[in-house]
């Protein structure tokens, strides 16, 4: 064969080897764990299951490949296990599509760092196929999200334990690069976890807050935010009175000062008046002293002669510092269990279906 023929043959073989290396970076083990994560997200009825499943799989595969290419070594593998496990722990707390995609990407980073590139022999392929079938069966049987998440954790942990971390090899990352990768992952993941903790009603580990009362009571607490409003607030109170029930109105301090007569009417009517900050803005919750809370307490005390026992942070965003500020005022931090999401639609029937479809005692 002539030299040009040999060159073409060499190019073909080189291309195939490069393709195999890229396929190895995706790592069958991290892909299998990513499937468990995607199925857990797709089980949430509030999401478009088909699109979310596909998007999460793509996000996990891409970030796993990038993470594997970024670095290898025992420190990064250990960090990867922590990131993947913590991400899966967050899944049941934040199932909305945007958070799901970010969590899938972060999980891919952790799984990519933790799991080794495995061979594509027939035994490995059959094991992967069996794992995928098992996950599909679990999902079809209506398995709880927690079990699917646990499956993903076990896959990552098991694959990580297979790695011989003591072997020095050409694929091992230098200490400087490993430190840079670890710092980037730690800062990025830590920042996102802090954001989720601050803005997720179900996250009791970052500021906490009561979400519901006794599940055995047979009762429901109905709450309304952002008033008082001259037209809407009296109308809502009239509807509650018509059905012989009362609600909790989380009021904004500046609106209380602007329309004290509306708040006084609520209080005389037996409705519960509670604190919802003074300005209801996007950034004051970051202030560790959070003077918004006391300012609203003072406004309500000035007009009603009493202080609210409950406080709800605007948008649900809170920090441990805010919790301490509420404790100093003798107020209890209250979140919510079901959101009407009425700001996303003008269809009142849709709002009603959302609430009635999710409400529990």
């Amino acid at each position: 064969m002539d030299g040009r023929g040999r060159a073409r043959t060499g190019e073909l073989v080189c291309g195939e080897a490069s393709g195999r290396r890229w396929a190895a970076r995706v790592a069958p083990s991290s892909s299998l764990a990513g499937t468990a994560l995607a199925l857990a997200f797709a089980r949430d009825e509030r999401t478009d299951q088909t699109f979310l499943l596909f998007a999460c799989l793509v996000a996990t595969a891409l970030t796993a490949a990038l993470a594997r290419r970024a670095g290898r070594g025992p420190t990064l593998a250990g960090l990867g296990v922590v990131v993947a496990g913590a991400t899966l722990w967050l899944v049941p707390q934040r199932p909305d599509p945007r958070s799901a995609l970010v969590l899938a990407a972060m999980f891919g980073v952790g799984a990519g760092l933790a799991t080794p590139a495995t061979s594509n022999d027939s035994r490995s392929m059959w094991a992967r196929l069996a794992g995928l079938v098992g996950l599909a069966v679990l999902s079809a049987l209506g398995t709880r999200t927690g079990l699917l998440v646990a499956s993903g954790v076990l896959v990552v942990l098991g694959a990580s334990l297979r790695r011989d971390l003591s072997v020095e090899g050409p694929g091992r990352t230098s200490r400087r690069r490993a430190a840079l990768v670890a710092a980037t992952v730690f800062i990025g993941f830590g920042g996102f976890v802090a954001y989720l903790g601050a803005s997720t009603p179900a996250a009791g580990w970052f500021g906490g807050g009561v979400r519901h009362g006794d599940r055995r009571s047979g009762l429901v607490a109905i709450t309304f935010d952002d008033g008082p409003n001259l037209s809407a607030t009296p109308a809502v109170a009239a509807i509650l009175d018509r059905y012989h029930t009362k609600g909790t109105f989380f009021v904004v301090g500046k609106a209380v000062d602007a329309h004290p007569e509306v708040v006084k009417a609520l209080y005389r009517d037996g409705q519960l008046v509670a604190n919802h900050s003074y300005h209801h803005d996007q950034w004051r919750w970051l202030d560790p002293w959070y003077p918004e809370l006391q300012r609203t307490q003072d406004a309500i005390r000035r007009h009603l002669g009493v202080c609210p026992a409950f406080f709800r942070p605007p948008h649900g965003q809170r920090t441990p510092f805010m919790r301490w500020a509420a404790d100093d005022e003798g107020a209890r931090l209250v979140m919510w269990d079901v959101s009407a999401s009425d700001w996303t639609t003008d269809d009142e029937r849709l709002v009603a279906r959302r609430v009635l479809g999710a409400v529990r005692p």
Side-chain angles (χ1 to χ4, degrees):
M1 185 179 291
D2 61 18
R4 188 165 53 184
R6 283 195 298 274
R8 286 198 300 270
T9 303
E11 288 169 2
L12 177 62
V13 172
C14 181
E16 291 173 348
S18 176
R20 284 196 296 271
R21 284 196 298 271
W22 176 256
R25 289 190 193 113
V26 175
S29 49
S30 60
S31 297
L32 184 60
T35 303
L37 175 74
L39 288 172
F41 275 126
R43 288 198 57 76
D44 191 271
E45 62 183 12
R46 292 168 290 181
T47 61
D48 183 326
Q49 296 186 14
T50 304
F51 172 77
L52 187 64
L53 180 64
F54 175 76
C56 286
L57 286 173
V58 171
T60 303
L62 288 178
T63 53
L66 291 173
R68 180 164 289 100
R69 192 172 186 180
R72 299 168 63 186
T75 301
L76 293 179
L79 178 62
V81 172
V82 172
V83 169
T87 301
L88 291 170
W89 171 65
L90 289 168
V91 168
Q93 303 181 53
R94 196 67 183 245
D96 59 283
R98 276 188 293 184
S99 297
L101 288 176
V102 177
L103 286 171
M106 294 303 303
F107 173 75
V109 171
L113 292 174
T115 58
T118 54
S119 64
N120 287 317
D121 58 23
S122 59
R123 189 185 343 178
S124 176
M125 292 179 65
W126 279 111
R128 273 175 273 158
L129 181 61
L132 289 172
V133 171
L135 290 174
V137 170
L138 285 176
S139 182
L141 291 175
T143 304
R144 285 181 172 273
T145 300
L147 186 54
L148 290 168
V149 167
S151 302
V153 173
L154 291 175
V155 169
V156 172
L157 184 59
S160 179
L161 292 175
R162 291 179 51 207
R163 184 195 294 268
D164 184 1
L165 298 178
S166 64
V167 174
E168 296 283 351
R172 195 180 180 98
T173 305
S174 68
R175 288 186 178 180
R176 180 176 298 179
R177 183 175 176 181
L180 179 61
V181 172
T184 302
V185 172
F186 180 80
I187 293 172
F189 183 69
F192 184 65
V193 169
Y195 165 75
L196 286 186
S199 60
T200 305
W205 43 270
F206 197 85
V210 177
R211 295 180 58 226
H212 58 79
D214 187 355
R215 291 293 190 196
R216 300 164 299 177
S217 67
L219 303 174
V220 170
I222 307 175
T223 68
F224 304 91
D225 292 357
D226 304 352
N229 178 282
L230 284 175
S231 58
T233 303
V236 169
I239 294 171
L240 293 173
D241 286 338
R242 188 186 314 157
Y243 290 95
H244 310 290
T245 190
K246 303 297 178 184
T248 302
F249 290 78
F250 287 93
V251 295
V252 177
K254 64 179 182 180
V256 171
D257 281 335
H259 310 296
E261 68 282 1
V262 181
V263 181
K264 291 177 180 177
L266 288 176
Y267 184 63
R268 287 194 301 266
D269 190 41
Q271 309 292 347
L272 188 62
V273 176
N275 188 323
H276 196 42
S277 82
Y278 195 85
H279 289 97
H280 198 285
D281 61 7
Q282 297 282 350
W283 60 271
R284 283 185 170 87
W285 65 279
L286 294 169
D287 186 338
W289 288 272
Y290 199 64
E292 288 275 295
L293 195 151
Q294 183 177 359
R295 189 174 179 184
T296 307
Q297 295 286 85
D298 292 342
I300 296 173
R301 182 192 296 114
R302 194 162 51 246
H303 297 295
L304 298 185
V306 294
C307 274
F310 298 131
F311 164 69
R312 172 173 289 170
H315 318 291
Q317 293 171 323
R318 75 273 190 213
T319 67
F321 300 107
M322 184 184 288
R323 177 63 178 268
W324 297 337
D327 289 343
D328 286 343
E329 289 293 326
R332 196 170 190 181
L333 197 65
V334 176
M335 304 299 287
W336 60 87
D337 193 32
V338 177
S339 174
S341 300
D342 53 297
W343 59 89
T344 64
T345 179
D346 292 327
D347 185 348
E348 65 272 15
R349 293 183 181 275
L350 175 59
V351 172
R353 285 198 302 273
R354 285 173 175 170
V355 173
L356 295 177
V359 71
R360 290 183 290 164

